[in-house]
Amino acid sequence: MLSVLARAAARAGGGVPTCLVRPVVGVQLSIRSISHQEGLPKLPVPPLRQTCERYLAVLEPLVTEEELEHTRALVSEFLRCGGVGERLQRGLERRARKTENWLSEWWMQSAYLDSHMPVAVYTSPGVVLPPMHFQDQQGQMRFAAKLIAGVLDFKRMIDSETLPAEYLGGKPLCMDQYYQVLSSCRIPAPKKDTVMNYGSGKGPSTHITVVHNFQFFVLDVYNSDGTPLTVDQIHMQLEKIWNSSLQTNKEPIGILTSNHRNTWGKAYNNLIKDKTNKESVRAIQKSIFLVCLDAPMPRVSEDIYYSKVAAQMLHGGGSRWNSGNRWFDKTLQFIVGEDGSCGLTYEHAPAEGPPIVYLVDHVVEYMNKTDRVRAPMIPLPMPRKLRFNITPETKKDIEKAKQNMNIMVHDLDVRVLNFCHYGRKYLKSCKTSPDAFIQMALQLAYYRMYKVCCPTYESASLRMFKLGRTEAIRTTSSESLKFVQAMDDQSKQNTEKLALLQKAIKVHRDYTHMAIHGQAIDRHLLGLKMQAIEDLTSLPEIFMDTSYAVAMHFNLFTSQVGSKTDCVMSIGPMVPDGYGVCYNPMDDHINVAVTAFNSCEETNATKLARSLEEALLDMKDLLIQTPKPKE
Ligand code: COA
């Protein structure tokens, strides 16, 4: 999930790499993955005319007839024989022949690394796990120890290349992202960030970072013979960390990572001028992952518990609470609160949500089946505390970052809806696609609030292709608009409403099919634009048109991230007056997380969540009450 096209990124990551430390830009695959990866097709460049025609169809429900007419003329000029469109298309096709994936580098740059916005709230998703049944430090340590052991077990599958390949619609998926989530970190810079992976080579990382009360520790998680520490051993080490970080008056150095990227980039350069600081920062960057042992958050009523924890996962609750107990550049940060709240946040540049929740599913399964293994009584060295020398300049940077974080915390409106009336099992029994049905419910919920439809983005996987990331499914269509308009129209019969719903669902399914097969419009349009930039020619007029600006302003930024675990992912909105909506359709219920910005008067996460709940209930009534046509 990115944020605008200006919020995402194009990386071309590696499989099991052979160099010690490498920027994530090429693919180096293990023997085993070579056969899997090499069998994957390359991402195609869709035909130019097809994309242009589909673009015009996408605009229909979104712009005025006058705007559309103007855009038709621009598109026709763009498509002119021997014109700019053809030239850019040829450039793209050349690029596709020469690279493993014509899009991945551009995507990494434009969607993630070029963005100066903070990663916290703006691009890094959070995942909320169900509340754990502990309320104290002992429970927190035990849980964290098991969780760490579970992630190391997952790492074992990656290292030994025994991670089973995934499939979508019977087709094998690119597994590259799995090799990017551990031992990697985003590195800030005043101009442009990079992502580094420290996962292998001669000295692969063998430690994790643990942070408690804003104090960072290196915890070696392997014995000298290469075996991972047992749960009991990890537990013992965590207790040592906990006991040597009881003071709560430490500077929250980690909060620096939550600032705007260029601000953090400058502060980073200051910070690492000091040798001790540089070594400490490198230890965090190189670690396999980070574990945040969070202080308890203020208690809240049960109905907003998940919403509060979702916010904690996205930003940590502010400088008074746990926002300094993070290193937001780190790709994977697991969060375990003393009050039983737990989940994770991840930096989005190297990977998408599905591999992350797959890892979560594995860890949860591991934790449920793991029995205690008694540790051999070999004394383990004390985990190393990372030291930071705070200069007055860095102190000022920390204060600025605290202020910025507190503004973000106040601005983010989060509401988790645990929709418990039905789930994917019921929808499948009605012979309907759960994903398309939920997307239509979102369209209805939005339309009921605003009486218009809006550009809607749903993430679709491009992992059928080598190094594939995501494409956008454009949910709003002329058909979805007809359905939402009809739904509350008293003059319409249920049979007509149902027929319109089914038509809209079919259009959505067709778009999904097109997107996952690399034939949708958004990445192709981005490619044409990037090609023009690379050719140093002026940007074609279709990209400077009002319709284009409207089409790219995704007021609804949505994503299905399904998992076996009863969890939900959350993401920030893509635009200031928009919503971020993530959902996990479970068998008998649906978890949804909605976000919006409080600074926008028109948006309200709770209202959209309620409207969605009503829409889902009304649409179920429509299914039940409408007689089925005879087969
Ligand atoms: N009748 C009965 N069952 C149906 C049906 C119908 N008409 N249509 C679909 N189903 C079934 C499917 O077969 C599937 O069954 P399964 O769970 O047994 O496999 C199930 O319903 C779910 O299908 P559906 O709800 O249609 O969604 P999907 O699984 O095809 O997912 C996307 C659609 C777009 C979410 C998926 O293709 C995708 O790309 N996911 C990745 C998104 C992503 O990367 N997000 C992260 C961004 S950070």
Side-chain angles (χ1 to χ4, degrees):
M1 279 154 290
L2 48 314
S3 137
V4 217
L5 293 178
R7 254 219 229 171
R11 69 122 303 257
V16 178
T18 50
C19 56
L20 185 58
V21 172
R22 69 204 159 85
V24 184
V25 283
V27 192
Q28 291 156 307
L29 296 163
S30 65
I31 308 293
R32 193 126 165 222
S33 23
I34 279 175
S35 58
H36 175 83
Q37 291 290 119
E38 289 307 307
L40 295 170
K42 275 187 169 190
L43 180 70
V45 179
L48 186 62
R49 187 165 293 278
Q50 171 186 297
T51 293
C52 288
E53 281 165 6
R54 287 177 176 170
Y55 173 51
L56 291 173
V58 154
L59 291 178
E60 262 176 42
L62 302 175
V63 299
T64 64
E65 187 46 47
E66 211 182 355
E67 285 165 339
L68 190 57
E69 208 39 57
H70 179 67
T71 308
R72 279 197 193 107
L74 296 183
V75 165
S76 153
E77 171 57 23
F78 186 67
L79 281 175
R80 192 170 45 80
C81 191
V84 63
E86 275 189 10
R87 188 170 44 73
L88 296 177
Q89 178 77 358
R90 273 200 306 277
L92 266 190
E93 287 166 355
R94 237 186 343 264
R95 183 179 167 91
R97 281 192 296 276
K98 285 198 296 202
T99 55
E100 291 209 278
N101 183 315
W102 61 265
L103 176 65
S104 50
E105 292 271 353
W106 280 345
W107 181 246
M108 178 78 133
Q109 294 303 334
S110 62
Y112 300 105
L113 302 183
D114 283 348
S115 169
H116 284 174
M117 294 306 280
V119 290
V121 172
Y122 288 93
T123 49
S124 295
V127 176
V128 184
L129 288 167
M132 294 301 147
H133 303 291
F134 57 78
Q135 295 285 334
D136 58 12
Q137 180 234 338
Q138 269 313 312
Q140 182 187 23
M141 296 301 110
R142 253 194 315 276
F143 181 84
K146 272 190 162 188
L147 182 141
I148 293 166
V151 185
L152 294 178
D153 190 62
F154 190 82
K155 185 173 184 299
R156 177 189 52 77
M157 287 203 294
I158 292 182
D159 293 346
S160 61
E161 298 156 29
T162 50
L163 191 67
E166 289 177 289
Y167 290 80
L168 181 66
K171 303 236 172 88
L173 298 183
C174 176
M175 300 299 285
D176 176 67
Q177 288 178 35
Y178 283 98
Y179 294 93
Q180 308 310 329
V181 294
L182 296 173
S183 313
S184 73
C185 194
R186 184 163 168 156
I187 314 293
K191 289 223 169 99
K192 191 185 283 184
D193 294 0
T194 46
V195 175
M196 299 295 283
N197 189 297
Y198 305 89
S200 69
K202 283 187 205 138
S205 315
T206 51
H207 69 278
I208 65 167
T209 308
V210 178
V211 52
H212 178 237
N213 280 336
F214 311 152
Q215 296 154 71
F216 292 83
F217 292 81
V218 163
L219 168 52
D220 286 312
V221 284
Y222 290 94
N223 294 302
S224 51
D225 63 357
T227 54
L229 299 193
T230 62
V231 173
D232 278 357
Q233 285 176 313
I234 299 170
H235 186 185
M236 218 158 66
Q237 296 298 77
L238 290 178
E239 281 194 323
K240 290 182 198 163
I241 289 175
W242 212 92
N243 290 329
S244 54
S245 51
L246 294 172
Q247 319 89 309
T248 52
N249 59 349
K250 295 287 169 187
E251 283 295 343
I253 187 90
I255 208 162
L256 287 170
T257 61
S258 70
N259 218 334
H260 287 76
R261 300 308 299 177
N262 42 349
T263 312
W264 167 217
K266 283 182 211 142
Y268 175 80
N269 284 348
N270 275 330
L271 182 73
I272 61 167
K273 274 184 202 151
D274 178 285
K275 194 166 162 276
T276 305
N277 294 348
K278 189 173 180 172
E279 279 171 14
S280 296
V281 167
R282 286 281 180 270
I284 298 172
Q285 290 168 337
K286 288 181 174 179
S287 59
I288 305 167
F289 56 93
L290 204 128
V291 174
C292 312
L293 299 175
D294 270 14
M297 298 289 287
R299 273 182 180 275
V300 291
S301 60
E302 217 172 281
D303 65 319
I304 58 164
Y305 174 82
Y306 277 98
S307 307
K308 284 288 164 203
V309 180
Q312 185 188 347
M313 298 306 138
L314 285 169
H315 53 53
S319 63
R320 266 191 69 201
W321 301 100
N322 291 299
S323 298
N325 216 43
R326 304 279 184 277
W327 196 266
F328 284 104
D329 293 353
K330 196 72 195 147
T331 306
L332 252 187
Q333 298 190 78
F334 292 94
I335 298 159
V336 184
E338 202 180 318
D339 52 13
S341 57
C342 54
L344 64 93
T345 180
Y346 74 94
E347 201 287 301
H348 211 327
E352 249 66 63
I356 305 288
V357 293
Y358 186 84
L359 184 155
V360 168
D361 282 344
H362 178 88
V363 171
V364 169
E365 219 168 276
Y366 176 93
M367 290 171 77
N368 289 339
K369 70 173 189 225
T370 300
D371 295 326
R372 272 185 84 150
V373 180
R374 286 257 153 241
M377 294 311 286
I378 310 162
L380 292 167
M382 173 70 199
R384 180 161 59 92
K385 185 170 186 165
L386 295 174
R387 307 273 162 202
F388 286 96
N389 296 320
I390 313 271
T391 61
E393 204 170 355
T394 296
K395 169 95 180 107
K396 244 200 304 189
D397 291 333
I398 291 175
E399 289 309 314
K400 267 196 284 180
K402 279 188 191 172
Q403 276 174 17
N404 189 56
M405 174 48 98
N406 293 339
I407 292 169
M408 292 199 294
V409 167
H410 279 109
D411 199 20
L412 192 73
D413 178 16
V414 187
R415 170 58 76 155
V416 171
L417 165 70
N418 301 109
F419 180 82
C420 55
H421 304 275
Y422 60 89
R424 54 196 250 131
K425 217 162 64 186
Y426 172 74
L427 292 170
K428 280 162 74 170
S429 76
C430 297
K431 307 236 173 320
T432 191
S433 149
D435 184 67
F437 192 88
I438 296 166
Q439 283 289 329
M440 289 311 132
L442 263 169
Q443 289 295 302
L444 180 58
Y446 189 92
Y447 186 81
R448 281 176 168 173
M449 282 175 74
Y450 298 100
K451 306 294 170 241
V452 287
C453 63
C454 68
T456 306
Y457 181 115
E458 182 192 354
S459 309
S461 175
L462 277 180
R463 286 176 54 210
M464 274 187 198
F465 303 100
K466 203 185 287 180
L467 304 183
R469 296 287 300 259
T470 56
E471 171 59 284
I473 302 168
R474 288 189 170 259
T475 305
T476 308
S477 62
S478 300
E479 289 75 12
S480 72
L481 179 59
K482 282 189 195 135
F483 159 64
V484 296
Q485 284 171 334
M487 191 64 188
D488 294 332
D489 183 342
Q490 307 291 329
S491 70
K492 301 261 192 284
Q493 298 295 316
N494 273 358
T495 41
E496 189 182 346
K497 292 179 188 177
L498 184 61
L500 289 170
L501 170 61
Q502 284 167 337
K503 182 85 203 293
I505 284 179
K506 177 167 183 334
V507 168
H508 186 77
R509 287 307 293 161
D510 290 349
Y511 203 112
T512 302
H513 185 267
M514 204 161 88
I516 62 178
H517 289 88
Q519 297 296 325
I521 64 168
D522 278 85
R523 300 302 180 260
H524 190 196
L525 289 174
L526 173 71
L528 293 164
K529 198 169 153 187
M530 298 298 279
Q531 188 64 46
I533 293 168
E534 214 157 272
D535 290 355
L536 297 175
T537 52
S538 57
L539 219 49
E541 285 203 49
I542 56 161
F543 298 119
M544 296 186 291
D545 179 27
T546 309
S547 297
Y548 184 75
V550 171
M552 295 299 160
H553 191 88
F554 291 105
N555 298 87
L556 275 178
F557 176 46
T558 75
S559 185
Q560 178 189 149
V561 185
S563 64
K564 285 194 223 159
T565 308
D566 193 5
C567 62
V568 67
M569 187 170 271
S570 57
I571 38 163
M574 189 192 276
V575 294
D577 56 343
Y579 294 96
V581 184
C582 268
Y583 51 94
N584 181 7
M586 307 289 294
D587 273 351
D588 297 309
H589 64 281
I590 306 168
N591 298 330
V592 189
V594 182
T595 59
F597 291 118
N598 287 316
S599 49
C600 174
E601 279 186 13
E602 285 83 42
T603 53
N604 183 318
T606 302
K607 275 195 189 153
L608 184 70
R610 284 204 190 116
S611 184
L612 175 63
E613 182 163 35
E614 274 171 30
L616 285 166
L617 290 172
D618 292 349
M619 284 165 61
K620 181 183 177 190
D621 285 347
L622 181 68
L623 291 183
I624 294 171
Q625 288 164 13
T626 315
K628 305 270 166 313
K630 293 213 169 70
E631 305 239 323

